[in-house]
């Protein structure tokens, strides 16, 4: 089970970081909203990458990581695993708030503008902000990979000896 979870977590991380790199490239090649046909095409591609690669990879990484921590006692005692969990939550929240939602919404709005349903002037064209968000989240994801490989002794949580009647680790006998 441990190897399966490690494999799934790694494959999710590969897909997640690959999707972010792809989105950064697409953002750098996206024309301004004035060139509506090209803008809508690129936004549609970004929406598809966010929906079909980024989101499933994010979910796989998060679920496999949480299950690994839950099933492996060594991870629950390792400070690096808790730091990785905290930064993983940042990637998860940033992924939804800063990537998934805005990219799907702008893809939908640009397609509607191309069909003439909404005014193209209402398109955000917030390419720089989205690119900056992606770089920050990608940097945090890279930090998570470094923590998973390096496994520094950031904090070692004490083991609790729940099998003892008094529950106090290191104490022998009962008082």
């Amino acid at each position: 089970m441990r190897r399966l979870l490690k494999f799934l977590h790694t494959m999710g991380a590969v897909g997640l970081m690959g999707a972010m790199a792809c989105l950064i490239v697409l953002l750098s090649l996206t024309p301004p909203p004035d060139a509506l046909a090209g803008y809508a095409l690129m936004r549609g591609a970004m929406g598809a990458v966010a929906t079909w690669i980024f989101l499933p990879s994010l979910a796989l990484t998060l679920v496999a990581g949480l299950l690994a921590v839950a099933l492996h006692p060594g991870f629950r005692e390792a400070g690096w695993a808790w730091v990785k969990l905290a930064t993983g939550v940042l990637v998860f929240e940033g992924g939804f708030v800063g990537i998934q939602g805005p990219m799907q919404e702008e893809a939908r709005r640009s397609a509607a503008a191309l069909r003439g349903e909404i005014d193209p002037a209402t398109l955000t064209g917030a390419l720089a902000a989205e690119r900056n968000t992606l770089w920050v989240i990608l940097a945090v994801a890279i930090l998570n990979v470094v923590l998973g490989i390096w496994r520094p002794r950031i904090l070692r949580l004490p083991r609790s000896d729940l099998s003892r009647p008094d529950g106090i680790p290191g104490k022998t006998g009962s008082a």
Side-chain angles (χ1 to χ4, degrees), residues 61-100:
T61 304
L62 187 66
V63 169
L66 289 173
L67 285 173
V69 169
L71 296 176
H72 190 284
F75 290 159
R76 289 191 301 269
E77 298 165 4
W80 64 265
W82 290 101
V83 171
K84 191 171 177 189
L85 176 66
T87 56
V89 170
L90 292 174
V91 170
F92 179 73
E93 185 174 339
F96 270 114
V97 175
I99 297 173
Q100 182 71 22

Side-chain angles (χ1 to χ4, degrees), residues 16 19-28 30 39-55 94-111 123-135 137:
L16 180 66
M20 286 190 278
C22 179
L23 289 170
I24 288 170
V25 169
L26 289 174
L27 278 167
S28 67
T30 301
Y39 183 79
L41 178 67
M42 293 301 274
R43 284 305 198 161
M46 285 186 269
V49 169
T51 301
W52 299 109
I53 300 173
F54 179 81
L55 185 61
F96 270 114
V97 175
I99 297 173
Q100 182 71 22
M103 289 205 174
Q104 285 182 332
E105 178 62 20
E106 193 66 8
R108 185 192 63 75
R109 291 178 48 73
S110 63
L123 296 174
T124 63
L127 302 174
E130 290 177 25
R131 187 173 28 253
N132 292 341
T133 300
L134 275 165
W135 277 114
I137 294 172

